[in-house]
Amino acid sequence: MKKFFLLLFMAMATIAFAQNQFKIVQGSFDFLKDQSQVNVQLKLDNTHYQVENFTEEQYLERRKKDVLANPKRGEEAWKKWSDEWTRFKDTEYLKYFTKGANKKSKIVYGNETKAKYTLIIDAKWIYAGWHGGLIGQEAKLTSNMKFVETDNPSNVVLEIEADQILGKPQNKDFVMEYGRIAGAFEATGSRLMGKEYKRALRK
């Protein structure tokens, strides 16, 4: 009997944790009821990485050492990796987020829309996960998300904190850090369109 209650408690704790991964700081989704599209921007200016909370510069320095230490790789491999890292930051993370959001929303999310509202995703912390042959660990993303008026960004209509959202388990670039991180952006976009979101649009 004690074992049963222990397992029940653990299950309840897991459910509560999952529910608390998204926290509304202020506002509600009600403003979206009559909208057909939302503009999306991504900020990676002050992102920290891994459990050590590396700055991006520190993270890249360590990653470069790892690549160059492998005699089968070298400078050419590092340049290719670095170029892909930059490309994913500039375009792919946002594409993956909107992919996740648009799968579950009738409202179109994108970065080239002339929408009344803009969603600003401020990535605070990223765990890049790992990949080792047949198995791997998904990335995690902690972010602050603000819906603002596009023409008046100081007017925040909804603010949400998303804590350690676990990424999608697979995509074509999952073996690389930037691919796993992209999966975390996709999962964040998808899970943002949860019960609170759907309830507001049904009103």
Side-chain angles (χ1 to χ4, degrees):
M1 184 62 72
K2 287 183 178 180
K3 185 177 180 180
F4 169 77
F5 282 111
L6 177 60
L7 291 172
L8 180 62
F9 173 77
M10 291 175 65
M12 291 175 64
T14 301
I15 293 170
F17 176 77
Q19 290 175 337
N20 291 335
Q21 283 187 300
F22 281 85
K23 177 184 176 183
I24 294 180
V25 179
Q26 62 169 308
S28 73
F29 287 104
D30 290 352
F31 71 96
L32 288 172
K33 186 171 59 174
D34 299 322
Q35 303 303 307
S36 60
Q37 57 185 6
V38 172
N39 189 44
V40 186
Q41 296 177 4
L42 174 60
K43 293 173 61 178
L44 291 156
D45 304 334
N46 297 299
T47 310
H48 286 78
Y49 295 82
Q50 307 299 83
V51 295
E52 297 88 350
N53 284 319
F54 294 129
T55 63
E56 182 182 12
E57 182 179 3
Q58 292 170 328
Y59 178 76
L60 293 179
E61 285 176 359
R62 294 170 67 89
R63 192 67 186 89
K64 183 177 181 179
K65 287 180 181 178
D66 290 342
V67 172
L68 295 181
N70 187 336
K72 295 181 180 180
R73 306 190 74 183
E75 288 288 350
E76 185 176 343
W78 168 248
K79 183 179 185 307
K80 181 179 179 181
W81 189 97
S82 182
D83 288 347
E84 284 298 280
W85 176 267
T86 299
R87 182 173 73 88
F88 269 73
K89 282 183 57 183
D90 289 346
T91 61
E92 301 307 298
Y93 293 155
L94 195 55
K95 287 181 181 178
Y96 272 88
F97 178 90
T98 56
K99 176 184 176 183
N102 290 331
K103 277 183 179 179
K104 295 193 172 184
S105 175
K106 293 180 180 180
I107 298 173
V108 176
Y109 287 77
N111 65 332
E112 296 180 353
T113 65
K114 295 181 179 180
K116 181 178 180 180
Y117 296 101
T118 295
L119 168 57
I120 302 173
I121 309 158
D122 189 357
K124 297 296 186 181
W125 178 80
I126 291 172
Y127 168 68
W130 53 268
H131 188 270
L134 297 176
I135 60 174
Q137 170 65 58
E138 297 89 345
K140 296 178 183 178
L141 171 65
T142 293
S143 63
N144 174 272
M145 293 181 280
K146 292 180 179 177
F147 287 86
V148 304
E149 286 188 7
T150 301
D151 294 334
N152 183 21
S154 62
N155 184 19
V156 179
V157 294
L158 173 62
E159 180 178 357
I160 296 171
E161 291 178 352
D163 183 46
Q164 298 191 35
I165 305 304
L166 190 66
K168 295 282 186 179
Q170 291 292 339
N171 59 50
K172 63 185 179 67
D173 295 299
F174 187 80
V175 297
M176 305 304 292
E177 293 90 336
Y178 40 77
R180 295 190 293 275
I181 294 169
F185 277 98
E186 182 179 355
T188 299
S190 177
R191 292 191 52 194
L192 180 63
M193 312 303 153
K195 291 181 180 179
E196 292 293 326
Y197 180 91
K198 293 175 181 175
R199 187 180 299 120
L201 268 60
R202 285 198 300 265
K203 290 181 179 179

